[in-house]
Amino acid sequence: MQTFYNEVLTDHNLYPAHKHPLPGANMTLEGVNPSCGDDIVLQLRVEDGRIEDGAFVGDGCAISQASADIMLDMIIGRTVEEAKDLSARFFRMIKGDATGEDMEKLEEAGALQDIAHMPARVKCAVLGWHTMDRMFER
């Protein structure tokens, strides 16, 4: 599991598919983790309740950047409600309360499961997810 965790994080950190400005975004929100300086601007294009595209820009540690990229892989093409469900599952995983079904639905995001045992890194891992949740509450 540790090797998988490292490979997934390294791949998404070094080669993020979604780290770029998003022309045509109709939802944008900045997320900041003041305890370590992670800062992202999440940008989504949502049409008729479906996330058509998404991206982020910003700086931070490998965990915050990889987690945001993984999240975008998972939510693009899904409905807002499906994205909220995935977010709830992700937060259960980070708290150590994920079910087998949660882990199955989280796919690659499951690589971040061990973050639950690293309290100082939890805020890094949840930054993108928390920003998305706040965006949908507006």
Side-chain angles (χ1 to χ4, degrees):
M1 180 65 179
Q2 188 65 32
T3 301
F4 175 69
Y5 165 81
N6 287 335
E7 287 175 9
V8 169
L9 280 180
T10 299
D11 187 51
H12 280 277
N13 186 50
L14 294 177
Y15 311 106
H18 306 289
K19 189 172 183 178
H20 55 82
L22 181 65
N26 57 9
M27 297 184 84
T28 300
L29 188 64
E30 183 177 23
V32 178
N33 177 359
S35 63
C36 69
D38 294 338
D39 185 354
I40 66 164
V41 176
L42 181 63
Q43 301 172 312
L44 300 177
R45 185 166 36 89
V46 179
E47 296 174 12
D48 298 322
R50 182 167 299 279
I51 302 163
E52 298 294 334
D53 204 357
F56 74 101
V57 293
D59 296 300
C61 69
I63 292 171
S64 71
Q65 303 297 288
S67 183
D69 198 58
I70 291 168
M71 177 193 75
L72 285 161
D73 270 353
M74 296 181 69
I75 66 169
I76 293 171
R78 295 183 188 259
T79 66
V80 168
E81 291 308 313
E82 289 170 324
K84 288 178 180 180
D85 178 67
L86 286 170
S87 181
R89 292 174 188 275
F90 185 82
F91 278 98
R92 281 196 296 271
M93 178 190 72
I94 291 296
K95 292 176 185 174
D97 297 330
T99 65
E101 180 185 351
D102 289 337
M103 295 307 296
E104 187 176 312
K105 296 257 185 192
L106 286 171
E107 301 168 356
E108 234 181 13
L112 293 162
Q113 183 177 22
D114 287 343
I115 298 296
H117 307 296
M118 300 179 227
R121 307 307 291 192
V122 167
K123 288 182 180 180
C124 305
V126 303
L127 180 60
W129 296 88
H130 182 67
T131 303
M132 178 188 69
D133 285 347
R134 286 190 11 246
M135 182 182 287
F136 291 145
E137 289 170 2
R138 301 172 113 201

